[in-house]
Amino acid sequence: LAYTHAVPKAQRTGHTVALGVDWGVNTLLSAGAARLHDNGRITALGAGAQFRAPGVLAKQYRLRRISERLHAKTDQYTRLADTALDSKNATLVEEIRHVSKRRSNLNDALAWAAARWSVDQAIAAGATVIYLEDLRSMEAGGRGRTHNTRMSQTVRGQIADRMRHLAAEVGIAVVTVPARNTSKHCPRCLTPLRHRKAPDRPTTPGWKWAICPNPECGWQGDRDQGAWRRIAARGLTHQTKTVVDRASGAMAIRAVVDMMEAQALITATEKTSRTGRSKTGPTRPRTNRLTPRRREVPSPARPTGPAGQRPEGHAPTDRTRLPRAAHRHQGVTTISTPTKRRHRPRGATLGAGFHLHAHASPPRWAEPASDPTVRIGSLS
């Protein structure tokens, strides 16, 4: 059943915390939060995050290649105009419909997941607006029919629609901003960046790493991480230029004003060290330890009697010395207890250690006694 429920109204202006979202080349989304202070400074809240779906994108790419191959075969059968190929052409059409349905389901699931992730990032940062890169600057054109088809079949438009729907439930506005020079200029000083290969991935194709040539700035990082900083700062400074479309109700910033763009700078936050932090009150006096350390405690004196000592095996503890058991290679005269009768070792019965008794088994070099019960003969 269709139903409606009341939601907070998204404001067009008056935002202090915003989430900037950039469409990445290798990563689908790169997002991060920025704060507008009362004095006009803009600072980034954290290092941002990226939404990566390599498995889904790889499957999407594979299905797109299969669809292109099937369409090429269908076009070839159409040019041949042979009635004998009608059955094969019908089979290809059914296969194309099946692949298109799989791609549609995959794109829909990916769009909902990416939109949910973006809105969750905004809620976690306490942002009241999401500034999204305008898709009109990414329209396909002038790059060949195959490339234009792939660009037009991307899922970015669905992500933007799902993002507006999920953000409206929590009262967060979604505003599109122009994407001009967001990846080319430094987010701190607006100097044109120099793009290099990523230092941790020197063999990966593409120029993912950006370095600011300004010696006073020295910012460097992933180009997508710098892009969302530029988008968030541009949206916060141009929020008074936000307009609402009457037909769709979508909010957008149409143009960039140079005077406002000069103020869209991300101020670097000062790093606080433990040695340079200021005290907020008197230092608490250091108390003595209630329990001394293990190395500071003197070792206890050893008791003189048998008390507190570990007994050896099951022997009585009142003995001053236990009789030593005879070794298998020792003679019977090695026992310290003098006796006139035949020697019987008592170590095993007293439990004076684990050992092999001298009379328990024959020596290793002794020949085993023959068993008369065993009959040795042929197998027959």
Side-chain angles (χ1 to χ4, degrees), residues 3 55 112 137 146 164 186 213 229 234 300 317 320 327 342:
Y3 68 95
W112 280 113
S137 61
T146 303
R164 291 189 182 93
C186 177
R229 287 176 170 85
R234 177 176 292 179
T317 58
T320 58
H327 196 265
R342 187 172 179 270

Side-chain angles (χ1 to χ4, degrees), residues 267-346:
T267 306
T269 57
E270 298 179 359
K271 296 182 179 180
T272 59
S273 60
R274 296 183 60 87
T275 58
R277 62 181 182 178
S278 59
K279 298 180 180 180
T280 57
T283 305
R284 185 173 56 182
R286 189 174 183 180
T287 59
N288 297 330
R289 301 186 186 94
L290 298 179
T291 305
R293 294 182 178 179
R294 180 178 61 84
R295 297 182 181 271
E296 298 177 359
V297 179
S299 300
R302 188 171 183 178
T304 57
Q309 297 182 3
R310 182 178 180 181
E312 298 186 34
H314 300 282
T317 58
D318 56 348
R319 288 179 177 268
T320 58
R321 184 179 179 183
L322 293 175
R324 186 166 57 92
H327 196 265
R328 62 165 61 188
H329 305 311
Q330 289 179 343
V332 296
T333 58
T334 57
I335 299 300
S336 60
T337 305
T339 179
K340 295 181 179 180
R341 58 189 176 90
R342 187 172 179 270
H343 168 66
R344 291 182 180 179
R346 300 173 59 191

Side-chain angles (χ1 to χ4, degrees), residues 43-223:
T43 57
L45 303 180
Q50 293 180 343
F51 180 82
R52 299 178 180 178
V56 178
L57 294 179
K59 189 174 182 179
Q60 186 184 31
Y61 176 78
R62 185 169 61 253
L63 292 176
R64 184 176 61 218
R65 293 295 300 270
I66 293 175
S67 178
E68 292 175 358
R69 192 181 303 114
L70 293 176
H71 278 89
K73 288 185 177 181
T74 305
D75 295 341
Q76 182 181 4
Y77 290 161
T78 304
R79 288 193 302 267
L80 294 177
D82 190 357
T83 56
L85 300 176
D86 292 342
S87 59
K88 293 184 178 181
N89 195 8
T91 304
L92 290 178
V93 170
E94 182 66 21
E95 186 67 20
I96 290 174
R97 188 188 64 81
H98 178 66
V99 173
S100 300
K101 185 177 180 181
R102 291 180 61 188
R103 294 182 61 190
S104 178
N105 295 336
L106 187 63
N107 290 340
D108 188 69
L110 182 61
W112 280 113
R116 181 77 271 176
W117 178 84
S118 303
V119 176
D120 289 343
Q121 293 290 327
I123 294 174
T128 57
V129 61
I130 297 176
Y131 289 112
L132 185 65
E133 196 173 10
D134 195 355
L135 295 175
R136 294 183 303 171
S137 61
M138 298 183 180
E139 292 180 355
R143 298 187 180 183
R145 185 180 64 178
T146 303
H147 189 274
N148 295 344
T149 303
R150 293 179 180 178
M151 289 290 292
S152 61
Q153 291 177 352
T154 54
V155 74
R156 292 168 178 169
Q158 299 182 23
I159 294 177
D161 295 339
R162 306 297 191 275
M163 195 182 300
R164 291 189 182 93
H165 175 76
L166 295 177
E169 295 183 351
V170 291
I172 297 178
V174 177
V175 183
T176 58
V177 298
R180 186 185 64 178
N181 297 331
T182 53
S183 300
K184 295 181 180 180
H185 290 174
C186 177
R188 292 184 181 178
C189 60
L190 300 181
T191 304
L193 296 171
R194 296 176 181 175
H195 295 88
R196 300 287 186 271
K197 289 184 177 295
D200 56 340
R201 297 179 180 178
T203 59
T204 303
W207 309 99
K208 287 283 293 177
W209 198 258
I211 301 176
C212 181
N214 187 3
E216 298 180 358
C217 175
W219 180 87
Q220 62 176 341
D222 194 298
R223 59 176 297 176

